Structure formats: structure tokens, C-alpha cells
Amino acid sequence: AQKVTQAQTEISVVEKEDVTLDCVYETRDTTYYLFWYKQPPSGELVFLIRRNSFDEQNEISGRYSWNFQKSTSSFNFTITASQVVDSAVYFCALSEALYMKTSYDKVIFGPGTSLSVIP
Amino acid sequence: GAVVSQHPSWVICKSGTSVKIECRSLDFQATTMFWYRQFPKQSLMLMATSNEGSKATYEQGVEKDKFLINHASLTLSTLTVTSAHPEDSSFYICSASGSESGYEQFFGPGTRLTVL
């Protein structure tokens, strides 16, 4: 069965601090996708990243970076030099790939981490 | 990326009435649409998966007679909450995917339902 765990329920940091959001996943499939989404107070999900199980390279996008480690089934997300606009709930999610291994099925979301960045 | 819309963005209704929520893929054909429900301060929980032209597949614990899903075209899926009660008050989010979107799932902006 698939499962996503985000152990940090709430995190508060002071602006300009770095913060890492943890994500641990469980799946029996060898081919799967991992995601991070941001949900600001408006409620609309903002897609941040998708990573497939065969690509363990870390990724950096501006102030955002992701560390994918299959050995520990983790896909952690770091925000450097945090800003007030980063305040939101962040969801890590998992999906097992469909038949041709190029598309994916339903997305299972973790419980989310609420990040507050204090000015 | 592709655009998915939901209508209405919010709705308030009286207990016992039925409410219909629409999910549209605006610039691609969605062979599959997913419906999620999110209670306050909780995560998104998948309710059902619908493929165009066939019956929806409901997740365990979701009443299919209460949450009617129709996916009659490649750009539109509807979720009808029948005989709504206050405990159905929630944020409902749909997502859509298809070959034209590279099977990427694109999420709608959500519909906030409040049942009085």
C-alpha cells in the first residue's frame, strides 16, 4: 500500500532562515512518482515538482531544492532564505505509474506541513 | 501547463438540498478526472476516479449514492452532492489528466461547500 508521511505538522521560521520539510514515503512499486505541492491560504494547489523513481538527482529551482534518496525513501524539500510569501501548507505526494510506466494514476497526499515565515 | 477550472468556486446551501460542482479541462481532453475532498486543516483525500464514458470508481468509505459523479465528455466532469448535510461541508478539488497533458494531473482551484 502507498503511504506518505510528513512528520512535521507545523513549522515556524524567521524570515531569511533556511527550512527543510521532510517527506517519507512507502510503496511496493518500483516505478513511481513523487510530488511537492504548495497550498496557500486561497486553497489552490500550486505544483512545485515531480520526480520519477529512476531519477535520484537532486534538483534546485531558485530558492527551492529537493533531495531524493531512495535508500531512505525520502524526498525532502528545502527553502533557502525563506520569505513571508512562502507561508503555506506544503504537501508531499506519491503516485504509482500506470501500465506503460510513462503515466501515473491517482495521487496519494501526505498530511501536509504548515509553514509560517515570520517577518 | 494545462488549465482546469471548477465552478462554482464556493457555494452555500441548506441541509437536504443537492449541489452540483463542475470540473472542466479548458485546453486539453481529460480522459481521467479525479475528485478529492479536503476538510479544514487536513490533507486531500481521494474520493473517486472517473474515466470518460464509464462509471466512476469510488474509494473505500465514499458513498457513491451520495456523491454522484458524471464524466460524460472529455472536458467535463460533475460531482453532485445529494441531500447535503453539514458534515459534507468541505473543500472539493478536482484534477484532470489525459494523453494531451502527458498524463500529468492538473488540479482545479477547488470549490468550497458550506452546508447550513
Side-chain angles (χ1 to χ4, degrees):
Chain A
Q2 298 172 293
K3 184 179 179 181
V4 177
T5 301
Q6 295 178 255
Q8 306 144 308
T9 305
E10 296 182 0
I11 301 177
S12 288
V13 298
V14 177
E15 200 170 21
K16 298 184 182 177
E17 286 184 349
D18 298 347
V19 59
T20 295
L21 309 183
D22 298 333
C23 173
V24 174
Y25 63 92
E26 294 177 29
T27 179
R28 295 180 188 172
D29 206 352
T30 56
T31 303
Y32 51 89
Y33 291 89
L34 295 165
F35 308 81
W36 275 96
Y37 289 91
K38 174 182 179 180
Q39 189 178 43
S42 65
E44 186 164 358
L45 285 177
V46 178
F47 170 82
L48 297 178
I49 190 172
R50 179 183 74 170
R51 171 70 74 230
N52 74 54
S53 53
F54 296 111
D55 183 1
E56 284 194 75
Q57 284 191 351
N58 293 331
E59 177 145 345
I60 298 175
S61 177
R63 297 185 296 108
Y64 296 168
S65 62
W66 291 268
N67 185 309
F68 176 27
Q69 293 196 349
K70 288 179 73 171
S71 60
T72 56
S73 297
S74 64
F75 187 42
N76 297 337
F77 172 35
T78 297
I79 302 174
T80 58
S82 60
Q83 300 176 1
V84 173
V85 292
D86 296 327
S87 297
V89 179
Y90 290 86
F91 292 100
C92 180
L94 165 71
S95 181
E96 292 175 347
L98 279 178
Y99 320 105
M100 298 299 292
K101 305 300 184 184
T102 58
S103 57
Y104 56 92
D105 200 3
K106 59 188 180 186
V107 179
I108 304 300
F109 285 82
T113 297
S114 178
L115 173 65
S116 296
V117 181
I118 303 166
Chain B
V3 180
V4 176
S5 70
Q6 282 185 241
H7 179 80
S9 55
W10 59 269
V11 57
I12 301 173
C13 70
K14 292 183 178 181
S15 184
T17 61
S18 293
V19 174
K20 181 184 286 188
I21 302 170
E22 292 184 348
C23 177
R24 292 182 185 273
S25 56
L26 298 185
D27 49 6
F28 70 100
Q29 294 187 325
T31 50
T32 305
M33 287 185 170
F34 303 87
W35 286 95
Y36 295 83
R37 180 169 54 183
Q38 184 182 29
F39 291 110
K41 296 190 182 298
Q42 294 188 24
S43 186
L44 284 76
M45 298 300 294
L46 181 67
M47 298 174 67
T49 303
S50 73
N51 291 299
E52 187 265 337
S54 59
K55 289 184 179 180
T57 302
Y58 290 81
E59 295 297 301
Q60 193 172 10
V62 178
E63 300 173 59
K64 58 183 177 183
D65 293 332
K66 180 169 185 61
F67 298 99
L68 302 179
I69 293 172
N70 184 285
H71 190 170
S73 80
L74 287 171
T75 58
L76 173 65
S77 176
T78 60
L79 167 67
T80 301
V81 183
T82 62
S83 187
H85 290 283
E87 57 266 29
D88 299 322
S89 298
S90 187
F91 193 52
Y92 292 87
I93 305 174
C94 73
S95 69
S97 74
S99 61
E100 293 178 20
S101 70
Y103 295 103
E104 185 81 45
Q105 275 194 44
F106 292 92
F107 286 83
T111 297
R112 193 166 300 281
L113 169 64
T114 301
V115 185
L116 302 176

